[in-house]
Amino acid sequence: ALKVEIKWGDDIGSNEERLLGELVKEQFKTDLVVITEYPNSIRAFYTKKKNEKESLGYDFIFRGEEIISGAERENNYEKLIANMKEKGMEENDKSLSFYLESFKYSVPRHGGIGMGFVRLFNS
């Protein structure tokens, strides 16, 4: 039997993803699993929070490998700044000024993903 202990707030790595893929295949006869509501503490500052603990982030795990990571993005300027501060980032970080500037004037709800094409095609 496959066994790994993951506590709330822990991030999962490639070994845990591989084990999860094996478990899901064995128990549910599928190659795909979607992990949602990651802890805010392990997601990027621009990930929208569902509540104080959980984010609106997700990962698609296919055959034991993360192929897509994404999230609804925070679109409120004040919340973005607060999230940056929580992560120990500087509000006046010049490398992010281009990104933050538009949020001062209103940005619609939106999301984003990162897709690992090599991982997808190798799976």
Side-chain angles (χ1 to χ4, degrees), residues 10-52:
D10 290 348
D11 201 356
I12 62 171
S14 56
N15 188 48
E16 291 85 3
E17 290 169 356
R18 183 182 54 75
L19 291 171
L20 179 60
E22 291 175 18
L23 179 68
V24 167
K25 181 70 170 180
E26 181 181 303
Q27 289 191 359
F28 301 103
K29 309 297 186 239
T30 185
D31 290 318
L32 181 67
V33 63
V34 180
I35 303 172
T36 63
E37 300 166 346
Y38 272 94
N40 290 322
S41 61
I42 61 172
R43 297 304 280 204
F45 77 94
Y46 49 77
T47 300
K48 192 174 212 53
K49 294 178 178 182
K50 178 179 179 182
N51 55 45
E52 285 303 310

Side-chain angles (χ1 to χ4, degrees), residues 75-120:
N75 61 321
N76 178 286
Y77 178 76
E78 288 79 20
K79 289 180 181 179
L80 270 174
I81 298 302
N83 291 350
M84 288 175 67
K85 289 178 180 176
E86 283 177 17
K87 303 262 184 213
M89 301 169 70
E90 296 291 327
E91 177 180 346
N92 57 0
D93 183 338
K94 296 213 185 307
S95 68
L96 292 173
S97 60
F98 72 96
Y99 177 76
L100 296 170
E101 187 65 24
S102 61
F103 291 90
K104 291 179 181 178
Y105 307 104
S106 184
V107 172
R109 289 181 71 171
H110 62 286
I113 66 166
M115 180 179 280
F117 287 107
V118 172
R119 290 179 178 182
L120 178 62

